[in-house]
Amino acid sequence: MFNLQVAKNEREEDEERRKRDNEARMGRASHSCRVIQAVTQICKPSRSRNLDRSKQQRGTELLDDYFVRDSAFPDTYFRRRFRMERYLFNETMIAVCNHDSYFVQKNDAFGSMGLLPQQKITTALWMFAYGVSVNQVDEIMRMRKSTILESLMRFCRGIESIVPRETYKHGLAKSYEEG
């Protein structure tokens, strides 16, 4: 009987010791977790609040300025601004939209309409044509920087997969021969 009581007491003491060790370990772990969280908050910039960019309004203005029948700017302005004819832009837009559904206008998570394909493709073309930065395009087109860069990358991938490389080779060779 005495041995059973001693063994029971030892087990209870072991359990209490394990509980204390676990609590101490958890305290150390939670402290280190808190330190890591604090360091990551200091090192990484906080997420900026959402801005009302009026993207639908800017899309409507872009359509009214360049893409509707009686647009505000004639074809000469379109050619100067986009460095191509309007029909070529439209053909390129249709081909890229058929290749990648990213460029097709869809509803966003809140149910409002997303960006127009003209807006996404215009950003990519302006970055190529003028060598402008993302910040400049952001101010003009009212799009997030991440969306602008995503549009640029997807546009490049789309054009590379749509147009065969032989076209580039022959086109470049022909332009060198003429020039």
Side-chain angles (χ1 to χ4, degrees):
M1 181 89 167
F2 179 74
N3 288 338
L4 290 174
Q5 187 65 29
V6 169
K8 185 178 178 183
N9 288 344
E10 286 178 358
R11 267 186 300 211
E12 287 175 359
E13 289 174 4
D14 286 343
E15 285 181 26
E16 287 178 26
R17 193 174 317 120
R18 271 189 234 124
K19 282 182 183 179
R20 278 182 276 150
D21 290 344
N22 285 339
E23 288 173 1
R25 207 173 311 126
M26 293 299 284
R28 284 192 303 263
S30 64
H31 175 70
S32 61
C33 287
R34 286 192 303 263
V35 169
I36 290 171
Q37 288 174 350
V39 168
T40 57
Q41 291 300 320
I42 292 169
C43 293
K44 94 175 170 185
S46 62
R47 187 178 186 290
S48 61
R49 62 183 180 87
N50 291 334
L51 297 174
D52 180 20
R53 296 178 184 272
S54 305
K55 59 186 178 184
Q56 284 83 13
Q57 178 185 357
R58 182 59 192 127
T60 304
E61 291 171 1
L62 181 69
L63 288 177
D64 291 341
D65 288 347
Y66 296 105
F67 294 102
V68 295
R69 180 175 290 258
D70 295 324
S71 60
F73 298 105
D75 288 340
T76 55
Y77 282 79
F78 187 93
R79 172 95 170 102
R80 193 178 323 150
R81 177 64 58 96
F82 289 87
R83 308 274 174 112
M84 67 175 63
E85 298 293 332
R86 185 176 291 143
Y87 79 91
L88 182 60
F89 180 92
N90 289 331
E91 287 180 9
T92 305
M93 181 182 68
I94 290 168
V96 170
C97 287
N98 288 335
H99 177 73
D100 190 352
S101 65
Y102 172 78
F103 291 99
V104 178
Q105 186 180 25
K106 301 179 256 330
N107 289 336
D108 64 7
F110 294 108
S112 62
M113 291 304 287
L115 295 166
L116 293 168
Q118 289 90 343
Q119 285 175 288
K120 293 176 183 178
I121 292 174
T122 298
T123 58
L125 289 176
W126 281 358
M127 290 183 77
F128 284 133
Y130 298 113
V132 296
S133 69
V134 176
N135 290 333
Q136 291 169 321
V137 176
D138 174 30
E139 291 174 5
I140 296 168
M141 296 303 294
R142 307 276 176 102
M143 296 169 63
R144 289 182 57 89
K145 295 174 186 173
S146 59
T147 307
I148 294 168
L149 294 174
E150 181 76 16
S151 298
L152 179 65
M153 290 188 309
R154 285 180 177 254
F155 180 78
C156 291
R157 281 190 219 129
I159 292 297
E160 285 177 351
S161 62
I162 291 169
V163 180
R165 291 195 181 271
E166 289 77 29
T167 306
Y168 291 124
K169 290 178 187 175
H170 296 304
L172 289 176
K174 188 184 272 188
S175 65
Y176 286 129
E177 291 171 5
E178 292 172 0

